């Protein structure tokens, strides 16, 4: 039986080329700043996004949480959409790590606008938490891989500047967004104070994320990473995988998007599916007549793994290890249910 893992784009395994890059990586003690591969990765990613500096971390949760710590003080408030990963899926870390409250907005598929943000910025008043940060996510995970264009981001960045707010991007899937919108990564540096990029999602590296910002922010971020226990030693083996991914796995994201589109198109034709969100990138969210658990169990019997995100909602995520024949097989199984 063919098996297909559509649960997440985190499940990929390193390719032979990536393993070779890891095997031959030049490494050193990164806490001393001596790991050549990590230094190369940080500089490369910063340049790609028009930022001054970068810092490699074990996870995207860590890069996001460190960014929030860098851009706020205790008793501050940040603004984000109610679906935001930093709020929903990072264990309450905003309050725990930074002592900051969160103001949630009701965006469309996780996408928020300057008009929505502006009235939520607190005036200077002893009763109110001090608004100091806006966090955007691109693509939006819980929005089904929905994207911001830079044209949508520019007015938000402008509003933040005018109100002395920092702007951070949770760019776990930023390369998926760029593949869809055609925007250039280098232009992101003009708008954001911080950018977090996951290397272990669609890019297919086994571990890690980078935080990108200006030099002073990254200097402070290194203190925070150390205190959180994220100072790694010869982690250049992981950075080498990430460099390989940036060189070889960015262009191919379009294939994952095409695969998601094929699955979404098929789903819209099925009578047991009540709705499918537009598949902009590599995530397909769809609603089912039967409870999601029952549909997931039937898929699993056929070797197809997926995840439920709500009682009647299922998520498919395409990635590097989902090949055309597996997409075709999935289509056949969906038709047969
Ligand atoms: C996966 C993800 C992260 C980071 O998650 P880790 O598992 O900690 O690497 C952050 N934001 C979004 C939107 C994500 O999908």
């Amino acid at each position: 039986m063919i098996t297909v893992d559509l649960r997440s784009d985190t499940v990929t395994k390193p390719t032979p080329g990536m393993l070779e890059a890891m095997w031959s990586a030049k490494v050193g003690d990164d806490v001393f700043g001596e790991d050549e591969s990590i230094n190369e990765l940080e500089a490369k990613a910063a340049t790609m996004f028009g930022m001054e500096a970068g810092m490699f971390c074990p996870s995207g949760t860590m890069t996001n949480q460190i960014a929030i710590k860098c851009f706020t003080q205790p008793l501050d408030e940040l603004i984000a959409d109610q679906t935001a990963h930093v709020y929903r899926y990072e264990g309450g870390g905003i309050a725990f790590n930074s002592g900051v409250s969160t103001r949630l907005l009701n965006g469309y598929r996780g996408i928020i606008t300057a008009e929505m943000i502006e009235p939520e910025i607190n005036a200077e008043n002893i009763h109110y938490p001090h608004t100091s940060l806006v966090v955007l996510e691109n693509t939006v995970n819980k929005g089904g891989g929905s994207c911001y264009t830079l044209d949508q981001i520019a007015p938000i960045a402008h509003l933040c500047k005018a109100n002395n707010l920092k702007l951070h991007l949770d760019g776990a899937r930023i390369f998926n967004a760029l593949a869809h919108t055609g925007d250039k990564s280098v232009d992101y540096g003009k708008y954001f104070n911080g950018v977090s990029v996951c290397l272990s999602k669609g890019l297919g590296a086994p571990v890690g994320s980078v935080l990108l910002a200006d030099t002073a922010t990254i200097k402070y971020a290194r203190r925070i990473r150390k205190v959180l226990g994220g100072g790694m030693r010869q982690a250049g083996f992981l950075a080498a995988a990430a460099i390989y991914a940036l060189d070889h796995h960015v262009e191919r994201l379009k294939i994952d998007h095409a695969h998601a589109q094929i699955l979404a198109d098929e789903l819209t034709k099925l009578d047991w599916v009540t709705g499918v969100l537009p598949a902009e990138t590599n995530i397909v969210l769809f609603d089912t007549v039967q409870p999601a658990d029952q549909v997931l169990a039937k898929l699993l019997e056929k070797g197809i793994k997926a995840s439920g995100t709500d009682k009647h909602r299922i998520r498919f995520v395409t990635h590097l290890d989902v090949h055309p024949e597996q997409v075709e097989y999935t289509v056949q199984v969906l038709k047969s249910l």
Side-chain angles (χ1 to χ4, degrees):
M1 184 169 64
I2 293 181
T3 63
V4 191
D5 197 339
L6 298 169
R7 288 173 301 170
S8 174
D9 46 8
T10 56
V11 300
T12 56
K13 308 267 170 66
T15 61
M18 183 180 280
L19 284 171
E20 202 161 299
M22 295 170 77
W23 183 248
S24 54
K26 292 201 175 75
V27 299
D29 190 327
D30 183 49
V31 174
F32 297 155
E34 290 175 1
D35 190 292
E36 284 180 51
S37 299
I38 291 185
N39 293 342
E40 183 187 337
L41 169 66
E42 291 173 345
K44 182 183 178 77
T47 304
M48 281 178 109
F49 283 87
M51 291 289 206
E52 286 176 10
M55 179 182 70
F56 184 57
C57 282
S59 73
T61 297
M62 190 179 276
T63 45
N64 280 333
Q65 292 296 321
I66 290 175
I68 292 165
K69 185 71 188 162
C70 288
F71 295 140
T72 61
Q73 295 293 323
L75 308 181
D76 282 359
E77 185 161 87
L78 68 77
I79 296 175
D81 182 75
Q82 51 101 6
T83 62
H85 192 282
V86 292
Y87 172 73
R88 284 207 185 209
Y89 302 113
E90 297 184 11
I94 294 170
F96 184 76
N97 295 312
S98 297
V100 164
S101 63
T102 307
R103 186 85 143 245
L104 296 172
L105 304 185
N106 231 327
Y108 174 68
R109 295 182 69 192
I111 304 289
I112 56 178
T113 63
E115 290 70 37
M116 296 167 73
I117 296 167
E118 190 164 19
E120 307 297 331
I121 301 170
N122 286 335
E124 212 41 60
N125 180 315
I126 197 169
H127 297 87
Y128 303 154
H130 174 71
T131 310
S132 58
L133 174 65
V134 173
V135 179
L136 304 182
E137 191 172 310
N138 202 16
T139 68
V140 184
N141 180 359
K142 185 92 176 147
S146 45
C147 297
Y148 286 90
T149 62
L150 275 176
D151 287 343
Q152 290 171 292
I153 289 168
I156 298 175
H158 184 78
L159 176 74
C160 288
K161 219 166 238 160
N163 288 277
N164 235 341
L165 311 182
K166 296 286 202 284
L167 183 60
H168 173 66
L169 176 69
D170 176 356
R173 296 188 179 82
I174 184 59
F175 285 106
N176 295 92
L178 295 170
H180 181 71
T181 62
D183 287 334
K184 302 250 172 312
S185 61
V186 72
D187 292 329
Y188 269 68
K190 292 182 202 143
Y191 297 113
F192 288 96
N193 301 98
V195 173
S196 161
V197 180
C198 283
L199 304 152
S200 65
K201 297 273 167 80
L203 294 186
V207 178
S209 288
V210 277
L211 176 63
L212 310 172
D214 62 34
T215 307
T217 301
I218 292 298
K219 188 173 177 212
Y220 183 61
R222 289 188 192 282
R223 290 189 68 84
I224 308 299
R225 184 183 66 175
K226 193 76 185 76
V227 82
L228 294 175
M232 297 185 286
R233 305 297 180 177
Q234 288 74 27
F237 295 111
L238 303 174
I243 292 167
Y244 182 91
L246 289 173
D247 288 338
H248 297 92
H249 293 169
V250 171
E251 282 300 314
R252 63 155 305 287
L253 290 171
K254 290 202 164 89
I255 299 170
D256 299 341
H257 297 186
H259 287 164
Q261 191 63 56
I262 290 169
L263 295 172
D265 287 346
E266 190 56 40
L267 286 162
T268 55
K269 297 179 198 156
L270 303 173
D271 57 6
W272 54 270
V273 173
T274 57
V276 186
L277 288 188
E280 287 179 34
T281 53
N282 70 329
I283 301 177
V284 188
L285 290 180
F286 61 99
D287 296 326
T288 54
V289 175
Q290 284 186 316
D293 284 350
Q294 290 178 25
V295 179
L296 289 168
K298 285 187 200 165
L299 288 170
L300 194 57
E301 275 174 28
K302 306 283 185 190
I304 298 170
K305 297 179 185 173
S307 48
T309 67
D310 269 307
K311 201 157 185 283
H312 287 269
R313 179 164 283 192
I314 290 176
R315 186 179 83 155
F316 287 166
V317 187
T318 56
H319 51 76
L320 190 63
D321 288 344
V322 176
H323 302 288
E325 58 276 16
Q326 291 166 307
V327 175
E328 183 48 35
Y329 172 72
T330 305
V331 165
Q332 295 312 323
V333 171
L334 290 171
K335 277 183 178 161
S336 73
L337 288 189

